[in-house]
Amino acid sequence: MTATVIDGKAFAAKVRGQVAEHVTRIKEENGITPGLAVVLVGEDPASQVYVRSKGKMTVECGMNSFEHKLDVDTSEEDLLALLDKLNADPAVHGILVQLPLPGHLNEDLVINRIDPAKDVDGFHISNVGLLSTGQKSMVPCTPLGCLMMLRDHHGSLSGLNAVVVGRSNIVGKPMANLLLRDSCTVTIAHSRTKDIQEVCKQADIVVAAVGRAEMVTGDWIKPGATVIDVGINRIDAPEKGEGKTRLVGDCDYASCAEVAGAITPVPGGVGPMTIACLLANTLTACCRANGLSEPEGLTA
Ligand code: NDP
């Protein structure tokens, strides 16, 4: 079998188009422009690239983008004061603090200072609690993107066996909660899981969020299963020339694609969906803040 490729890049473009359409409508009908504030502390090159691309896509969707770039040695007090200001600003509907933060800043304290209604990353402890109790919340962008692709591919997920490899707070755990909410039978595997290959082999859906290049291979996958590869790993690529690198996922694409029914590639799978879902979450937060109907199909 050769797997169907789930094209995250095309799907993300569609989601961004839906967001843009909805934004145009609420601008015209309600005179409201959704706004996303992104806070970057320090000059980590990867974070700078992410922030730039988030800002660009926010504007392309017709929303306001507010970028706050702070020095690497910004004090916790100053950062918290900025968040208080953004929490109180009615033009700001979503707030994202780019992680990781420099070591002297307490990430939990900072994230939990964001108004949960504006927490478009879905990391605030209130949103974590709401999601795990099945209530309306802001949902972390990467798992939301995975869920959208799975729903689109399968229709109903009810009754399917899903294995999430990885138990991080930003991907693995919220992903498992979302799949449970869609009535999958969910197993979370991690570094201490015994016979992880056999565990994965039982799954109709495998979501790999591990951070280990090409760890999941085709012989872990049940024939016809769906593989969602969250991983982003940079490895040496001598075939492209000396010192060159390339991006790979947590799944070995070639061997998994031979067995799976469907698979997301890296790059071009989950990655683009993450930013699209950030924009969708900002729109959702804006609609909720203003008592407007939420965009259909763009929330969990
Ligand atoms: P973390 O490092 O926070 O978590 C990794 C998880 O994988 C842990 O739960 C760990 O288990 C588990 N793990 C590690 N080694 C093994 C192993 N050998 N066997 C089984 N489980 C293992 O990573 P994140 O969740 O933040 O990210 C995971 C991957 O997803 C990374 O490649 C990251 O770059 C990528 N990512 C991609 C995004 C996107 O937009 N596409 C967004 C966010 C992340 P334990 O808890 O036992 O240590």
Side-chain angles (χ1 to χ4, degrees):
M1 173 182 290
T2 304
T4 301
V5 179
I6 300 177
D7 185 346
K9 206 171 158 191
F11 201 117
K14 190 172 122 192
V15 170
R16 291 198 306 274
Q18 287 170 305
V19 170
E21 239 174 66
H22 206 95
V23 167
T24 304
R25 198 167 338 124
I26 63 173
K27 271 183 180 175
E28 282 172 9
E29 292 175 8
N30 309 94
I32 298 165
T33 304
L36 172 66
V38 177
V39 180
L40 173 64
V41 187
E43 289 176 4
D44 176 67
S47 294
Q48 284 181 326
V49 172
Y50 288 138
V51 167
R52 214 174 306 132
S53 114
K54 283 167 186 172
K56 184 169 165 268
M57 291 196 187
T58 303
V59 171
E60 279 171 8
C61 281
M63 305 197 274
N64 289 326
S65 166
F66 308 103
E67 278 182 26
H68 295 268
K69 292 187 176 159
L70 307 181
D71 285 345
V72 67
D73 53 2
T74 298
S75 69
E76 205 159 77
E77 199 188 351
D78 286 350
L79 177 55
L80 295 178
L82 171 63
L83 292 177
D84 289 344
K85 218 172 95 192
L86 297 174
N87 284 340
D89 185 344
V92 173
H93 304 97
I95 302 170
L96 179 148
V97 176
Q98 185 66 42
L99 301 178
L101 287 171
H104 67 285
L105 299 169
N106 178 336
E107 272 184 13
D108 287 339
L109 187 78
V110 169
I111 295 303
N112 289 322
R113 189 68 160 241
I114 298 171
D115 177 350
K118 296 189 179 189
D119 168 38
V120 281
D121 251 345
F123 297 158
H124 189 291
I125 193 73
S126 296
N127 283 317
V128 175
L130 290 167
L131 175 62
S132 62
T133 50
Q135 300 179 69
K136 199 187 238 189
S137 67
M138 296 308 300
V139 175
C141 304
T142 300
L144 178 58
C146 297
L147 182 75
M148 282 185 190
M149 291 192 286
L150 284 167
R151 282 180 175 167
D152 183 68
H153 182 72
H154 285 273
S156 168
L157 303 180
S158 179
L160 296 179
N161 281 333
V163 172
V164 179
V165 190
R167 56 174 162 178
S168 72
N169 290 334
I170 63 167
V171 188
K173 283 183 202 152
M175 185 74 249
N177 267 320
L178 288 170
L179 291 167
L180 194 58
R181 209 154 94 167
D182 269 30
S183 298
C184 289
T185 303
V186 182
T187 303
I188 305 179
H190 46 77
S191 67
R192 307 295 173 89
T193 299
K194 287 188 184 141
D195 211 352
I196 195 165
Q197 176 174 345
E198 271 316 301
V199 171
C200 288
K201 208 148 189 180
Q202 305 305 313
D204 303 306
I205 294 169
V206 175
V207 180
V210 189
R212 293 192 185 272
E214 299 175 324
M215 184 184 86
V216 177
T217 46
D219 50 356
W220 292 37
I221 304 299
K222 181 166 89 172
T226 301
V227 176
I228 304 289
D229 191 351
V230 180
I232 303 176
N233 311 285
R234 192 165 280 285
I235 61 166
D236 291 338
E239 73 281 4
K240 287 168 71 178
E242 207 188 304
K244 296 284 183 194
T245 59
R246 65 188 173 98
L247 287 184
V248 296
D250 289 341
C251 301
D252 173 46
Y253 186 83
S255 64
C256 288
E258 269 178 31
V259 188
I263 187 167
T264 58
V266 177
V270 175
M273 285 300 286
T274 296
I275 296 194
C277 287
L278 171 67
L279 306 174
N281 276 352
T282 303
L283 173 61
T284 298
C286 175
C287 291
R288 287 180 187 170
N290 290 285
L292 307 175
S293 57
E294 289 178 27
E296 247 174 70
L298 298 181
T299 52

